[in-house]
Amino acid sequence: MTHNDPTHHDPTHHDPTHNDPTHHDAVRAADPTEFFTYQHPDEYFPDWRGFYQYALRRRADVREGFAHELDIKYGSDPHQLLNVYHPTGVTGAPVIGYFHGGRWREGHPACYDHFADPWVRAGAVFVSCGYRLDPHTIADAVDDAVSAVAWIAANADRYGGDPNRITVAGHSSGGHLAAMATMTDWAPPVPAGTVVGAVCMSAPVDLRSRLVPDAERVSPALRITRAPASVVVSFGDPEPNKRSEDDHYLTDQGKLLAKALADAGLPATTVSLGPADHVATAAAFADPTSPLFAAAHTAVFGPSQDP
């Protein structure tokens, strides 16, 4: 279960299928140089290339500092990966399932492993989740999010986590997946009481303007049927990302999700981060000085614990 566990798959061990995405059970490599944002930095306000470079440097520190299990397969596709970081010598810890962003076309769990640092220090189990990306559909990604949450619920106790204290979190497209998995009737929910929180950061929640397949079906703001007991919705105001897009798009989408929840009688805690670009609104989740971290901490640990 940890980095000393002999049953744990060692990603450094030579395996000819390890980086072969055509192999059914391959493990996808973490290579941000393949990402659109990395290759086209001039199209974006934030420094995505710098973010990914920093993330992989920090990942080494997090691996050194915390017990972990990497490249866990929750499905046969190379993208269906989980990385788990956890405190040691604990039981009943809250669990965070985190879904990365990337417009459903890029990203990797390893590029967000460093977000585990403040959460594991605080006493939570942190699971960084991957999912199928383009050319797979957004619906495929939603199915994966549901499957990943189910895997977390079934395996949380292996890492000292409480399967009845799961918070599902995500940024951007990952925030969309968090909303779809915890707030809609897309799939039967995991047993009642299992998912107690959701943190949806800068999430596009009405996809009709994006001209994606089945846009209404994959728009969580249009199909709210339930929600965990504690929900946090966050965004920058404004929140610039791609230069060709409206800086208030993600701001408006966050407000739309908060309104949809309120209209359904499921109010959320809304956190406006003020003027913040799309990298900053992601990084805030792992910044203990951020108001987003404070709100998310309450969702993860409950109101009785201060961050």
Side-chain angles (χ1 to χ4, degrees):
M1 143 178 24
T2 72
H3 52 294
N4 294 320
D5 183 354
T7 66
H8 160 55
H9 169 67
D10 178 3
T12 65
H13 176 73
H14 176 68
D15 176 353
T17 69
H18 184 75
N19 294 328
D20 177 7
T22 64
H23 188 269
H24 197 53
D25 290 314
V27 172
R28 177 171 168 252
D31 182 6
T33 65
E34 299 177 349
F35 299 166
F36 185 91
T37 53
Y38 196 103
Q39 296 175 353
H40 302 85
D42 293 343
E43 296 190 26
Y44 292 86
F45 286 104
D47 180 11
W48 279 108
R49 180 179 290 182
F51 170 83
Y52 287 126
Q53 291 170 340
Y54 172 79
L56 293 183
R57 289 195 304 270
R58 283 284 293 118
R59 184 196 192 208
D61 298 333
V62 175
R63 292 166 103 182
E64 181 68 25
F66 301 109
H68 58 271
E69 185 174 356
L70 306 178
D71 295 338
I72 304 166
K73 300 298 297 294
Y74 69 89
S76 60
D77 189 272
H79 294 78
Q80 293 169 323
L81 296 175
L82 304 168
N83 292 337
V84 180
Y85 293 83
H86 60 95
T88 56
V90 302
T91 58
V95 184
I96 299 168
Y98 181 86
F99 292 90
H100 64 77
R103 291 184 182 238
W104 307 276
R105 71 182 177 196
E106 71 177 44
H108 192 287
C111 296
Y112 297 83
D113 283 358
H114 63 297
F115 284 8
D117 189 324
W119 292 106
V120 179
R121 289 184 189 279
V125 177
F126 188 93
V127 186
S128 188
C129 305
Y131 50 92
R132 285 174 290 177
L133 302 171
D134 183 72
H136 291 282
T137 66
I138 294 175
D140 290 335
V142 176
D143 286 341
D144 285 355
V146 171
S147 296
V149 172
W151 187 97
I152 292 169
N155 292 277
D157 57 355
R158 294 175 52 201
Y159 308 98
D162 184 343
N164 295 310
R165 296 179 69 192
I166 297 171
T167 295
V168 181
H171 178 257
S172 197
S173 55
H176 163 270
L177 297 180
M180 287 294 298
T182 65
M183 303 175 191
T184 76
D185 59 355
W186 183 270
V190 290
T194 299
V195 176
V196 297
V199 183
C200 297
M201 298 165 264
S202 306
V205 292
D206 182 349
L207 305 189
R208 289 176 294 182
S209 66
R210 302 182 77 99
L211 303 177
V212 301
D214 295 324
E216 288 193 23
R217 182 169 173 255
V218 295
S219 292
L222 306 182
R223 51 184 302 172
I224 300 291
T225 59
R226 58 189 172 95
S230 184
V231 176
V232 177
V233 177
S234 67
F235 45 82
D237 188 6
E239 185 171 342
N241 187 34
K242 197 169 187 182
R243 293 183 183 276
S244 61
E245 296 178 348
D246 184 349
D247 291 354
H248 287 89
Y249 171 74
L250 293 167
T251 310
D252 294 342
Q253 290 287 297
K255 292 177 179 178
L256 178 63
L257 178 58
K259 182 179 185 304
L261 287 163
D263 289 348
L266 302 164
T269 297
T270 301
V271 179
S272 173
L273 294 169
D277 69 31
H278 203 41
V279 165
T281 60
F285 184 65
D287 176 3
T289 69
S290 165
L292 169 58
F293 186 91
H297 191 281
T298 297
V300 172
F301 288 95
S304 61
Q305 286 197 32
D306 293 328

mmCIF file of all heavy atoms in Angstrom, residues 203-230:
data_model
loop_
_atom_site.group_PDB
_atom_site.id
_atom_site.type_symbol
_atom_site.label_atom_id
_atom_site.label_comp_id
_atom_site.label_asym_id
_atom_site.label_seq_id
_atom_site.Cartn_x
_atom_site.Cartn_y
_atom_site.Cartn_z
ATOM 1 N N ALA A 203 -15.544 25.328 -12.562
ATOM 2 C CA ALA A 203 -16.085 24.229 -13.357
ATOM 3 C C ALA A 203 -17.062 24.717 -14.419
ATOM 4 O O ALA A 203 -18.011 25.436 -14.092
ATOM 5 C CB ALA A 203 -16.792 23.222 -12.447
ATOM 6 N N PRO A 204 -16.869 24.342 -15.682
ATOM 7 C CA PRO A 204 -17.911 24.575 -16.687
ATOM 8 C C PRO A 204 -19.061 23.607 -16.439
ATOM 9 O O PRO A 204 -18.860 22.389 -16.425
ATOM 10 C CB PRO A 204 -17.196 24.282 -18.010
ATOM 11 C CG PRO A 204 -16.054 23.395 -17.648
ATOM 12 C CD PRO A 204 -15.676 23.694 -16.241
ATOM 13 N N VAL A 205 -20.253 24.135 -16.229
ATOM 14 C CA VAL A 205 -21.370 23.277 -15.810
ATOM 15 C C VAL A 205 -22.568 23.329 -16.745
ATOM 16 O O VAL A 205 -23.506 22.546 -16.595
ATOM 17 C CB VAL A 205 -21.811 23.625 -14.372
ATOM 18 C CG1 VAL A 205 -20.717 23.244 -13.377
ATOM 19 C CG2 VAL A 205 -22.181 25.107 -14.233
ATOM 20 N N ASP A 206 -22.547 24.239 -17.713
ATOM 21 C CA ASP A 206 -23.548 24.257 -18.779
ATOM 22 C C ASP A 206 -22.772 24.274 -20.091
ATOM 23 O O ASP A 206 -22.220 25.298 -20.492
ATOM 24 C CB ASP A 206 -24.454 25.484 -18.668
ATOM 25 C CG ASP A 206 -25.545 25.511 -19.742
ATOM 26 O OD1 ASP A 206 -25.468 24.696 -20.699
ATOM 27 O OD2 ASP A 206 -26.469 26.340 -19.636
ATOM 28 N N LEU A 207 -22.715 23.126 -20.750
ATOM 29 C CA LEU A 207 -21.828 22.953 -21.900
ATOM 30 C C LEU A 207 -22.508 23.230 -23.232
ATOM 31 O O LEU A 207 -21.917 22.987 -24.284
ATOM 32 C CB LEU A 207 -21.246 21.535 -21.898
ATOM 33 C CG LEU A 207 -20.509 21.106 -20.626
ATOM 34 C CD1 LEU A 207 -19.797 19.774 -20.844
ATOM 35 C CD2 LEU A 207 -19.522 22.167 -20.170
ATOM 36 N N ARG A 208 -23.722 23.758 -23.213
ATOM 37 C CA ARG A 208 -24.431 23.960 -24.478
ATOM 38 C C ARG A 208 -23.709 24.945 -25.385
ATOM 39 O O ARG A 208 -23.744 24.799 -26.607
ATOM 40 C CB ARG A 208 -25.855 24.431 -24.201
ATOM 41 C CG ARG A 208 -26.741 23.338 -23.601
ATOM 42 C CD ARG A 208 -28.116 23.856 -23.248
ATOM 43 N NE ARG A 208 -28.052 24.834 -22.170
ATOM 44 C CZ ARG A 208 -29.129 25.425 -21.640
ATOM 45 N NH1 ARG A 208 -30.339 25.117 -22.107
ATOM 46 N NH2 ARG A 208 -28.998 26.298 -20.650
ATOM 47 N N SER A 209 -23.010 25.913 -24.815
ATOM 48 C CA SER A 209 -22.301 26.895 -25.653
ATOM 49 C C SER A 209 -20.982 26.346 -26.195
ATOM 50 O O SER A 209 -20.367 26.973 -27.063
ATOM 51 C CB SER A 209 -22.024 28.171 -24.843
ATOM 52 O OG SER A 209 -21.102 27.905 -23.795
ATOM 53 N N ARG A 210 -20.551 25.195 -25.714
ATOM 54 C CA ARG A 210 -19.259 24.650 -26.143
ATOM 55 C C ARG A 210 -19.382 23.692 -27.325
ATOM 56 O O ARG A 210 -18.387 23.172 -27.824
ATOM 57 C CB ARG A 210 -18.578 23.934 -24.967
ATOM 58 C CG ARG A 210 -18.352 24.832 -23.778
ATOM 59 C CD ARG A 210 -17.633 24.101 -22.661
ATOM 60 N NE ARG A 210 -16.215 23.960 -22.945
ATOM 61 C CZ ARG A 210 -15.271 24.743 -22.445
ATOM 62 N NH1 ARG A 210 -15.593 25.731 -21.637
ATOM 63 N NH2 ARG A 210 -14.005 24.537 -22.733
ATOM 64 N N LEU A 211 -20.608 23.437 -27.761
ATOM 65 C CA LEU A 211 -20.861 22.611 -28.937
ATOM 66 C C LEU A 211 -20.228 21.220 -28.799
ATOM 67 O O LEU A 211 -19.598 20.701 -29.720
ATOM 68 C CB LEU A 211 -20.346 23.302 -30.210
ATOM 69 C CG LEU A 211 -20.922 24.706 -30.471
ATOM 70 C CD1 LEU A 211 -20.279 25.314 -31.706
ATOM 71 C CD2 LEU A 211 -22.433 24.656 -30.598
ATOM 72 N N VAL A 212 -20.392 20.620 -27.634
ATOM 73 C CA VAL A 212 -19.883 19.271 -27.399
ATOM 74 C C VAL A 212 -21.015 18.271 -27.594
ATOM 75 O O VAL A 212 -22.193 18.612 -27.472
ATOM 76 C CB VAL A 212 -19.280 19.139 -25.984
ATOM 77 C CG1 VAL A 212 -18.149 20.123 -25.793
ATOM 78 C CG2 VAL A 212 -20.351 19.335 -24.913
ATOM 79 N N PRO A 213 -20.696 17.021 -27.898
ATOM 80 C CA PRO A 213 -21.743 16.003 -28.045
ATOM 81 C C PRO A 213 -22.545 15.847 -26.757
ATOM 82 O O PRO A 213 -21.989 15.895 -25.658
ATOM 83 C CB PRO A 213 -20.954 14.733 -28.371
ATOM 84 C CG PRO A 213 -19.657 15.212 -28.936
ATOM 85 C CD PRO A 213 -19.356 16.487 -28.221
ATOM 86 N N ASP A 214 -23.850 15.682 -26.900
ATOM 87 C CA ASP A 214 -24.742 15.453 -25.748
ATOM 88 C C ASP A 214 -24.588 16.547 -24.698
ATOM 89 O O ASP A 214 -24.538 16.260 -23.491
ATOM 90 C CB ASP A 214 -24.473 14.087 -25.120
ATOM 91 C CG ASP A 214 -24.796 12.937 -26.051
ATOM 92 O OD1 ASP A 214 -25.771 13.054 -26.821
ATOM 93 O OD2 ASP A 214 -24.079 11.930 -26.010
ATOM 94 N N ALA A 215 -24.516 17.799 -25.139
ATOM 95 C CA ALA A 215 -24.185 18.890 -24.222
ATOM 96 C C ALA A 215 -25.152 18.970 -23.040
ATOM 97 O O ALA A 215 -24.716 19.123 -21.889
ATOM 98 C CB ALA A 215 -24.172 20.219 -24.980
ATOM 99 N N GLU A 216 -26.450 18.870 -23.292
ATOM 100 C CA GLU A 216 -27.396 18.957 -22.180
ATOM 101 C C GLU A 216 -27.216 17.795 -21.211
ATOM 102 O O GLU A 216 -27.279 17.959 -19.993
ATOM 103 C CB GLU A 216 -28.832 18.990 -22.710
ATOM 104 C CG GLU A 216 -29.202 20.299 -23.389
ATOM 105 C CD GLU A 216 -30.694 20.438 -23.612
ATOM 106 O OE1 GLU A 216 -31.472 19.776 -22.888
ATOM 107 O OE2 GLU A 216 -31.079 21.207 -24.503
ATOM 108 N N ARG A 217 -26.963 16.626 -21.760
ATOM 109 C CA ARG A 217 -26.829 15.427 -20.933
ATOM 110 C C ARG A 217 -25.616 15.507 -20.012
ATOM 111 O O ARG A 217 -25.640 14.964 -18.901
ATOM 112 C CB ARG A 217 -26.735 14.198 -21.843
ATOM 113 C CG ARG A 217 -26.639 12.875 -21.125
ATOM 114 C CD ARG A 217 -26.825 11.723 -22.105
ATOM 115 N NE ARG A 217 -26.571 10.443 -21.475
ATOM 116 C CZ ARG A 217 -25.471 9.701 -21.657
ATOM 117 N NH1 ARG A 217 -24.533 10.134 -22.498
ATOM 118 N NH2 ARG A 217 -25.298 8.554 -21.040
ATOM 119 N N VAL A 218 -24.561 16.180 -20.443
ATOM 120 C CA VAL A 218 -23.339 16.262 -19.634
ATOM 121 C C VAL A 218 -23.175 17.634 -18.975
ATOM 122 O O VAL A 218 -22.071 18.012 -18.601
ATOM 123 C CB VAL A 218 -22.084 15.905 -20.467
ATOM 124 C CG1 VAL A 218 -22.126 14.457 -20.896
ATOM 125 C CG2 VAL A 218 -21.927 16.830 -21.674
ATOM 126 N N SER A 219 -24.275 18.347 -18.794
ATOM 127 C CA SER A 219 -24.246 19.653 -18.137
ATOM 128 C C SER A 219 -24.843 19.531 -16.738
ATOM 129 O O SER A 219 -26.068 19.492 -16.583
ATOM 130 C CB SER A 219 -25.037 20.687 -18.947
ATOM 131 O OG SER A 219 -24.406 20.969 -20.174
ATOM 132 N N PRO A 220 -24.015 19.479 -15.700
ATOM 133 C CA PRO A 220 -24.576 19.239 -14.365
ATOM 134 C C PRO A 220 -25.527 20.323 -13.884
ATOM 135 O O PRO A 220 -26.482 20.023 -13.149
ATOM 136 C CB PRO A 220 -23.325 19.148 -13.475
ATOM 137 C CG PRO A 220 -22.229 19.776 -14.263
ATOM 138 C CD PRO A 220 -22.548 19.520 -15.695
ATOM 139 N N ALA A 221 -25.325 21.567 -14.291
ATOM 140 C CA ALA A 221 -26.218 22.635 -13.837
ATOM 141 C C ALA A 221 -27.648 22.429 -14.324
ATOM 142 O O ALA A 221 -28.585 22.983 -13.749
ATOM 143 C CB ALA A 221 -25.705 23.992 -14.301
ATOM 144 N N LEU A 222 -27.819 21.637 -15.374
ATOM 145 C CA LEU A 222 -29.150 21.395 -15.946
ATOM 146 C C LEU A 222 -29.825 20.167 -15.363
ATOM 147 O O LEU A 222 -30.977 19.892 -15.699
ATOM 148 C CB LEU A 222 -29.037 21.236 -17.468
ATOM 149 C CG LEU A 222 -28.338 22.365 -18.221
ATOM 150 C CD1 LEU A 222 -28.356 22.085 -19.716
ATOM 151 C CD2 LEU A 222 -28.984 23.713 -17.904
ATOM 152 N N ARG A 223 -29.125 19.421 -14.506
ATOM 153 C CA ARG A 223 -29.700 18.159 -14.024
ATOM 154 C C ARG A 223 -29.330 17.888 -12.568
ATOM 155 O O ARG A 223 -29.037 16.757 -12.191
ATOM 156 C CB ARG A 223 -29.264 17.005 -14.919
ATOM 157 C CG ARG A 223 -27.766 16.899 -15.182
ATOM 158 C CD ARG A 223 -27.459 15.780 -16.153
ATOM 159 N NE ARG A 223 -27.924 14.486 -15.694
ATOM 160 C CZ ARG A 223 -27.913 13.371 -16.433
ATOM 161 N NH1 ARG A 223 -27.468 13.409 -17.679
ATOM 162 N NH2 ARG A 223 -28.349 12.230 -15.951
ATOM 163 N N ILE A 224 -29.386 18.919 -11.738
ATOM 164 C CA ILE A 224 -29.133 18.745 -10.314
ATOM 165 C C ILE A 224 -30.274 17.944 -9.687
ATOM 166 O O ILE A 224 -31.444 18.322 -9.783
ATOM 167 C CB ILE A 224 -29.016 20.106 -9.597
ATOM 168 C CG1 ILE A 224 -27.868 20.932 -10.175
ATOM 169 C CG2 ILE A 224 -28.862 19.913 -8.089
ATOM 170 C CD1 ILE A 224 -26.501 20.407 -9.895
ATOM 171 N N THR A 225 -29.935 16.831 -9.064
ATOM 172 C CA THR A 225 -30.947 16.025 -8.375
ATOM 173 C C THR A 225 -30.594 15.757 -6.922
ATOM 174 O O THR A 225 -31.451 15.349 -6.139
ATOM 175 C CB THR A 225 -31.129 14.666 -9.076
ATOM 176 O OG1 THR A 225 -29.874 13.968 -9.086
ATOM 177 C CG2 THR A 225 -31.628 14.841 -10.500
ATOM 178 N N ARG A 226 -29.353 15.972 -6.548
ATOM 179 C CA ARG A 226 -28.881 15.673 -5.196
ATOM 180 C C ARG A 226 -27.578 16.415 -4.988
ATOM 181 O O ARG A 226 -27.048 17.022 -5.920
ATOM 182 C CB ARG A 226 -28.653 14.164 -5.027
ATOM 183 C CG ARG A 226 -27.646 13.586 -6.035
ATOM 184 C CD ARG A 226 -27.594 12.058 -5.993
ATOM 185 N NE ARG A 226 -26.786 11.501 -7.069
ATOM 186 C CZ ARG A 226 -25.504 11.171 -6.958
ATOM 187 N NH1 ARG A 226 -24.898 11.318 -5.794
ATOM 188 N NH2 ARG A 226 -24.843 10.668 -7.984
ATOM 189 N N ALA A 227 -27.068 16.360 -3.775
ATOM 190 C CA ALA A 227 -25.757 16.949 -3.484
ATOM 191 C C ALA A 227 -25.289 16.419 -2.142
ATOM 192 O O ALA A 227 -26.108 16.082 -1.275
ATOM 193 C CB ALA A 227 -25.817 18.472 -3.454
ATOM 194 N N PRO A 228 -23.995 16.341 -1.950
ATOM 195 C CA PRO A 228 -23.491 15.981 -0.619
ATOM 196 C C PRO A 228 -23.889 17.030 0.422
ATOM 197 O O PRO A 228 -24.350 18.129 0.090
ATOM 198 C CB PRO A 228 -21.971 15.948 -0.814
ATOM 199 C CG PRO A 228 -21.764 15.838 -2.287
ATOM 200 C CD PRO A 228 -22.913 16.556 -2.913
ATOM 201 N N ALA A 229 -23.652 16.696 1.670
ATOM 202 C CA ALA A 229 -24.045 17.600 2.749
ATOM 203 C C ALA A 229 -23.295 18.922 2.692
ATOM 204 O O ALA A 229 -23.829 19.967 3.073
ATOM 205 C CB ALA A 229 -23.816 16.916 4.097
ATOM 206 N N SER A 230 -22.058 18.887 2.220
ATOM 207 C CA SER A 230 -21.234 20.100 2.167
ATOM 208 C C SER A 230 -20.703 20.284 0.752
ATOM 209 O O SER A 230 -20.013 19.409 0.225
ATOM 210 C CB SER A 230 -20.076 20.000 3.157
ATOM 211 O OG SER A 230 -19.318 21.189 3.186
#
